[in-house]
Each structure stands twice: as structure tokens, then as C-alpha cells.
């Protein structure tokens, strides 16, 4: 996994210069770059940046789900304060959404195929594929869950808690997106094992979270936090 990430970082650093020039100086720089015959190099840089951001977003989302489950788990709070777990959960959520947005927006700068901002936001538009729609909907559900935190008081705790459960759907759709779009994951190489391992960790913690708590633990958890 470390060697794979290092390889992507090296490729992205070597090939993303045309992309950065286009982002900084606008469409004119992008047109000039393509006119110089750097078409393939430009697209390769975009794809490496998007791929790396996508895997980082998925891995961070898995950690976000795990931290969220641990935040409301009594046996975890015996070792770590709830405030610490909650802070880690929020930080990971912000990083997940940031890399997820980078992953989606990067494809807009491809030149090999048409992929507009509309394609990055609205699934199935203009012939959008199902596997791409998994990722778009998953990211948008994650954003909706994050935004709901700011309106929690207006929604009320119970309604907000129901909305917060959409985070599990967001993670499931992101997992489907990774599996259906990544040839490396489908080949069940080291990267595929890591991706499935992250999913397995989330499922295991969720199962442990749903098991009945002992009487000693249950007395330390207020009803609103369950």
C-alpha cells in the first residue's frame, strides 16, 4: 500500500504541472498547454491526482465511520474521552469531504472526454454511468450529513440522528464506487485488500455497537447519546 501510494504521488508530482498551470492561469493556459502537444500528459496528471484523492477520501471516510461509532460506544470511552473522539470524528469528516470534492472536480479538467461540473454534481446526466453515480450520491449524502450538524437544534435530536444514519449509506455507496471503478481493487491485490479491510473494520465496529451493552456500561451512557 505504501509503495502504491508513493508511486501515485511521484506520478502526480511529475505529470500534474500542466494541470496546476491551467488551474492558476485559467482556460488560456490550458489551451496553450494542449496546443503544445501535452494532451496525454495533461490527462494522466489529472487522473493520478483524482485517483489518489479518491482513495484518500474513501480511507478517511472509513476512519470517520469508525470514529463515529466509537464516539457513542461505552467501552471505547473507558480509555479515551468522548470529546477527543468527537473532535477526531469531525476532523476526519472534513478531510473526507475535501478529498472527495477534489476527486470529483479533478475529472472536469480532463481533455480526453467530456465531463463538466454538471456531470460531477448530477448523477446519470448526459449518459452518466452507474458506477460514477455511486460516488456522486455517496459524496452528496456525506455533505448532507455534515451540513445537518449546523441545523441540529432546528431539526431536533431524533430527526437529526435519523439523518446522521445516512452516513452509513454514503460509505456503502462509496465502497461500491471504488469496487466498480478500480481495476486494482477488482484484482484483489494489496490495494483491494486494504479497501475491503476498511469496509470490514466498519462493519465489525457496527456489529459490536449493536450488541447489547452490559449493565455497567449502560448506566454510564445517557439515553440521548445512544
Amino acid at each position: 500500500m505504501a509503495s502504491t501510494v508513493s508511486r501515485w504521488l511521484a506520478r502526480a508530482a511529475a505529470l500534474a504541472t500542466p494541470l496546476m498551470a491551467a488551474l492558476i492561469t485559467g482556460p488560456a493556459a490550458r489551451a496553450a498547454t494542449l496546443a503544445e502537444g501535452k494532451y496525454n500528459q495533461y490527462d494522466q496528471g489529472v487522473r493520478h491526482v483524482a485517483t489518489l484523492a479518491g482513495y484518500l477520501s474513501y480511507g478517511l471516510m472509513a476512519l470517520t465511520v469508525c470514529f463515529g461509532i466509537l464516539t457513542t460506544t461505552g467501552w471505547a470511552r473507558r480509555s479515551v474521552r468522548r470529546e477527543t473522539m468527537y473532535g477526531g470524528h469531525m476532523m476526519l469528516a472534513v478531510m473526507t469531504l475535501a478529498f472527495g470534492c477534489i476527486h470529483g472536480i479533478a475529472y472536469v479538467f480532463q481533455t480526453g472526454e467530456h465531463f463538466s461540473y454538471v456531470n460531477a454534481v448530477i448523477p446519470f446526466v448526459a449518459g452518466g454511468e452507474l458506477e460514477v453515480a455511486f460516488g456522486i450520491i455517496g459524496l452528496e449524502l456525506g455533505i448532507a450529513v455534515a451540513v445537518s450538524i449546523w441545523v441540529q437544534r432546528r431539526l431536533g435530536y431524533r430527526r437529526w440522528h435519523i439523518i446522521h444514519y445516512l452516513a452509513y449509506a454514503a460509505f456503502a455507496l462509496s465502497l461500491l464506487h471504488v469496487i466498480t471503478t478500480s481495476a486494482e481493487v477488482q484484482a484483489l491485490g494489496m490495494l483491494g485488500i486494504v479497501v475491503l479491510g476498511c469496509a470490514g473494520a466498519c462493519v465489525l465496529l457496527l456489529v459490536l455497537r449493536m450488541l447489547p451493552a452490559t449493565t455497567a456500561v449502560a448506566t454510564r451512557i445517557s439515553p440521548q447519546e445512544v
Side-chain angles (χ1 to χ4, degrees):
M1 178 60 178
S3 61
T4 303
V5 172
S6 299
R7 186 169 65 253
W8 280 331
L9 285 171
R11 290 177 180 175
L15 298 174
T17 302
L19 171 63
M20 297 306 297
L23 287 172
I24 295 171
T25 58
R30 178 181 176 184
T33 298
L34 300 180
E36 292 174 4
K38 299 179 181 178
Y39 175 91
N40 291 331
Q41 187 182 47
Y42 184 92
D43 265 15
Q44 289 177 2
V46 170
R47 287 186 177 275
H48 285 307
V49 169
T51 300
L52 181 59
Y55 283 125
L56 286 173
S57 178
Y58 170 78
L60 289 167
M61 181 176 286
L63 286 174
T64 303
V65 172
C66 289
F67 267 68
I69 296 172
L70 290 173
T71 299
T72 56
T73 302
W75 45 265
R77 275 186 258 166
R78 281 181 272 182
S79 303
V80 183
R81 294 176 56 192
R82 184 180 186 278
E83 291 78 7
T84 303
M85 297 297 300
Y86 180 76
H89 176 62
M90 294 298 294
M91 179 189 69
L92 289 169
V94 171
M95 294 174 64
T96 295
L97 297 178
F99 280 111
C101 290
I102 292 173
H103 172 67
I105 293 175
Y107 283 107
V108 175
F109 294 91
Q110 287 184 122
T111 55
E113 58 183 276
H114 178 72
F115 192 84
S116 65
Y117 287 108
V118 175
N119 295 111
V121 174
I122 304 176
F124 304 115
V125 69
E129 300 174 345
L130 179 62
E131 54 268 29
V132 177
F134 288 149
I136 294 173
I137 298 173
L139 178 60
E140 290 177 348
L141 285 177
I143 294 174
V145 171
V147 170
S148 71
I149 296 174
W150 279 274
V151 294
Q152 180 180 352
R153 291 186 177 180
R154 293 186 179 182
L155 291 172
Y157 182 81
R158 292 188 179 278
R159 278 182 289 183
W160 171 81
H161 207 216
I162 293 173
I163 294 175
H164 207 71
Y165 280 130
L166 291 175
Y168 296 115
F171 179 73
L173 287 170
S174 298
L175 175 61
L176 284 174
H177 174 66
V178 173
I179 292 175
T180 54
T181 58
S182 174
E184 295 185 24
V185 173
Q186 293 173 7
L188 284 180
M190 180 59 68
L191 185 60
I193 293 173
V194 172
V195 168
L196 295 178
C198 291
C202 294
V203 172
L204 177 61
L205 284 177
L206 181 60
V207 170
L208 291 175
R209 176 69 183 86
M210 295 174 66
L211 291 176
T214 64
T215 304
V217 171
T219 56
R220 293 199 297 270
I221 305 176
S222 63
Q224 191 180 32
E225 293 176 335
V226 176

